[in-house]
Amino acid sequence: EDKVVQSPLSLVVHEGDTVTLNCSYEVTNFRSLLWYKQEKKAPTFLFMLTSSGIEKKSGRLSSILDKKELFSILNITATQTGDSAVYLCAVGGSDSGGYQKVTFGTGTKLQVIP
Amino acid sequence: DAGITQSPRHKVTETGTPVTLRCHQTENHRYMYWYRQDPGHGLRLIHYSYGVKDTDKGEVSDGYSVSRSKTEDFLLTLESATSSQTSVYFCAIRGGQGVRAFFGQGTRLTVV
């Protein structure tokens, strides 16, 4: 069974701090790893990674994938209160028929305090 | 954002009654997924579909069935609702390999 584990489960930081969120996975026929941000409603997409060692960046957020060690990290620099959310890691893999499943971790709840 | 809508957005139902949730997309995406989200469990896959009439079970499929008679619609049915099925249900769509998944706004279901 596919498995995605995120750590830490939650953390509280002060504005301006840098945080690193972790995601490790075991999945059949890995296709891609995705990061989402979830506030009060539906998850919103942040990054998709398919290749090892290539960093994706968007403003203060960046992410990198290590396919050999089966993990990814999401970095947020100079955190702001608007970064407070649950960050979800998901992995796309293929089932025995070659059809694509997306498996999510339980998320990391980030709280940024002023 | 992708054209994906869920209905209803909120529902309260009684134990033992059947309930159907609808996911509708306008993107002509191949893959559609139903997840439930509960505190401490994240998003768990219930069922997914890879085409019209092609569906498969996810990790928490017991007590749920699905149907996809048209590309744009993916229905999730709780055959006999139980209190353990009180949850927020999300539908997601995906075009294929290397394409991100888009989420609907969620349906909050309460079984009393």
Side-chain angles (χ1 to χ4, degrees), chain A residues 99, chain B residues 25 28-32 48-55 67-74:
Chain A
Y99 302 111
Chain B
Q25 61 148 329
N28 202 35
H29 281 342
R30 179 182 185 185
Y31 291 94
M32 299 185 77
Y48 61 107
S49 170
Y50 40 90
V52 173
K53 294 194 168 77
D54 290 324
T55 65
S67 67
R68 192 163 177 205
S69 59
K70 300 184 287 185
T71 299
E72 57 266 36
D73 288 324
F74 192 32

Side-chain angles (χ1 to χ4, degrees), chain A residues 32 36 38 42 48 95 100 102, chain B residues 33 35 37 48 94 98 101 104:
Chain A
S32 58
Y36 288 84
Q38 185 176 27
M48 184 170 72
D95 63 17
Q100 295 188 30
V102 182
Chain B
Y33 307 86
Y35 293 89
Q37 188 171 38
Y48 61 107
R94 195 174 190 207

Side-chain angles (χ1 to χ4, degrees), chain B residues 19-96:
Chain B
V19 177
T20 295
L21 309 183
R22 182 185 185 226
C23 178
H24 178 78
Q25 61 148 329
T26 58
E27 304 298 316
N28 202 35
H29 281 342
R30 179 182 185 185
Y31 291 94
M32 299 185 77
Y33 307 86
W34 275 109
Y35 293 89
R36 60 177 289 176
Q37 188 171 38
D38 306 290
H41 290 279
L43 283 156
R44 291 183 291 175
L45 183 64
I46 306 171
H47 281 279
Y48 61 107
S49 170
Y50 40 90
V52 173
K53 294 194 168 77
D54 290 324
T55 65
D56 208 343
K57 296 178 181 180
E59 62 181 303
V60 290
S61 59
D62 287 348
Y64 301 94
S65 62
V66 290
S67 67
R68 192 163 177 205
S69 59
K70 300 184 287 185
T71 299
E72 57 266 36
D73 288 324
F74 192 32
L75 304 180
L76 176 71
T77 297
L78 288 65
E79 289 136 13
S80 177
T82 67
S83 59
S84 65
Q85 293 175 311
T86 292
S87 188
V88 178
Y89 291 84
F90 285 101
C91 175
I93 62 174
R94 195 174 190 207

Side-chain angles (χ1 to χ4, degrees), chain A residues 48-60:
Chain A
M48 184 170 72
L49 304 106
T50 56
S51 301
S52 277
I54 299 175
E55 185 182 46
K56 292 273 185 112
K57 290 197 76 168
S58 177
R60 297 175 293 103

